[in-house]
Amino acid sequence: MAILNVSLRGTAASTSSSSLPSWPHLSNSVPFSLSKKPVIAKFPNTTILSPLKLRLQASFGKKTRASLSAIMATGGQEVLPPALTSTSDPPPLFDGKTRLYISYQCPYAQRAWISRNCKGLEEKIQLVPIDLQDRPAWYKEKVYPPNKVPSLEHNNEVKGESLDLIRYIDSHFEGPSLFPDDPAKREFAEELLSYTDSFNKSVFASFKEDGTEAAGAAFDYIETALSKFEDGPFFLGTFSLVDIAYAPFLKDFSLSHWK
């Protein structure tokens, strides 16, 4: 069975939420190693910022040992606003500004947050954090009736669902492309993105006594996927939406169960 250990470290430049960690000033690169010498994946002509510093270390028994470090940062620090609660006023809605509604702790929302930052859109997409334990009524009534995060307010419309949003952010905004041009990689990306729900369900099931076999098969699938392309250390060789889709959940599963 796969054993996964992932740590999440971050630093907020300024926030009133005591539950938020903070992250240091980092460079615009993504270090990564996969049973080989460390590789630095550079993102030219852009700056990259993420709330996450993910370090993934996976052990698969006699199989390949892998370690992943993904650091996405800009030359400056973003000031994180406090999470809005039931007593908070809404932002000016549908005024032409683009807003990304998230929860800092939600892995689904972290997908969209990381995508925004990897595209260098900190100035163009405003973060609006929501306290999911005390969410404001106006969010459901005026912004997003499903009352979930993430959601994106753009061009006077609100869109939701994390996998749809990371695609939308990548295709509708400037910045480095997070989806490959190579047909074989695009096909495999679709397969991996379609598998995310099955992967999450299998690992969630492992929290019960009868779910360990399914979780082992799920991590075997991930191990095999990581070895498919040899031109880089990520799922598709280069860093992509697929890595963004899986990373927050690998981190959460590690902290919850695989210690």
Side-chain angles (χ1 to χ4, degrees):
M1 176 185 302
I3 299 175
L4 194 66
N5 292 312
V6 184
S7 64
L8 168 65
R9 291 184 295 175
T11 303
S14 175
T15 180
S16 61
S17 174
S18 60
S19 62
L20 283 175
S22 54
W23 65 91
H25 175 85
L26 302 170
S27 64
N28 62 332
S29 62
V30 179
F32 182 93
S33 65
L34 182 62
S35 300
K36 299 177 181 179
K37 64 181 181 179
V39 176
I40 303 294
K42 293 284 187 180
F43 292 82
N45 303 319
T46 187
T47 54
I48 301 168
L49 171 66
S50 174
L52 304 180
K53 178 179 181 182
L54 298 173
R55 183 169 186 81
L56 172 63
Q57 294 181 323
S59 172
F60 301 94
K62 295 182 180 180
K63 298 183 180 180
T64 305
R65 293 183 58 87
S67 85
L68 162 68
S69 293
I71 302 173
M72 293 155 284
T74 60
Q77 290 184 330
E78 182 177 22
V79 176
L80 298 181
L84 301 182
T85 68
S86 59
T87 61
S88 302
D89 293 329
L93 301 175
F94 305 109
D95 61 351
K97 191 162 188 175
T98 303
R99 297 180 176 88
L100 178 62
Y101 296 86
I102 66 166
S103 164
Y104 289 124
Q105 293 79 23
C106 173
Y108 293 97
Q110 287 170 2
R111 285 172 168 172
W113 186 5
I114 296 171
S115 298
R116 161 204 183 251
N117 294 349
C118 284
K119 300 285 285 186
L121 299 170
E122 297 86 348
E123 299 298 324
K124 294 192 175 183
I125 301 180
Q126 177 186 357
L127 282 184
V128 183
I130 301 293
D131 185 341
L132 297 183
Q133 303 304 313
D134 185 25
R135 68 190 76 188
W138 52 258
Y139 180 66
K140 178 179 181 180
E141 295 168 358
K142 299 180 179 181
V143 179
Y144 192 51
N147 206 24
K148 302 186 296 183
V149 293
S151 68
L152 182 72
E153 178 188 340
H154 182 234
N155 289 340
N156 294 318
E157 296 181 346
V158 177
K159 304 178 183 297
E161 298 301 327
S162 63
L163 291 179
D164 293 337
L165 281 187
I166 64 175
R167 292 174 183 268
Y168 184 87
I169 291 170
D170 186 43
S171 62
H172 285 75
F173 294 89
E174 63 185 27
S177 175
L178 298 172
F179 206 70
D181 293 325
D182 179 84
K185 290 187 176 184
R186 293 179 72 91
E187 181 179 358
F188 192 52
E190 296 294 350
E191 176 185 328
L192 289 170
L193 290 172
S194 297
Y195 183 69
T196 55
D197 284 344
S198 296
F199 174 78
N200 293 337
K201 290 177 182 177
S202 295
V203 180
F204 278 127
S206 73
F207 298 162
K208 302 177 182 179
E209 292 183 1
D210 59 349
T212 54
E213 182 175 348
F219 281 113
D220 285 344
Y221 178 91
I222 295 300
E223 179 192 7
T224 301
L226 279 168
S227 64
K228 183 175 179 66
F229 293 103
E230 298 295 330
D231 58 333
F234 299 98
F235 278 111
L236 304 180
T238 57
F239 187 77
S240 72
L241 293 179
V242 176
D243 304 286
I244 292 173
Y246 279 93
F249 291 90
L250 291 172
K251 174 266 301 180
D252 276 359
F253 291 147
S254 172
L255 295 178
S256 299
H257 188 63
W258 297 104
K259 291 181 179 180

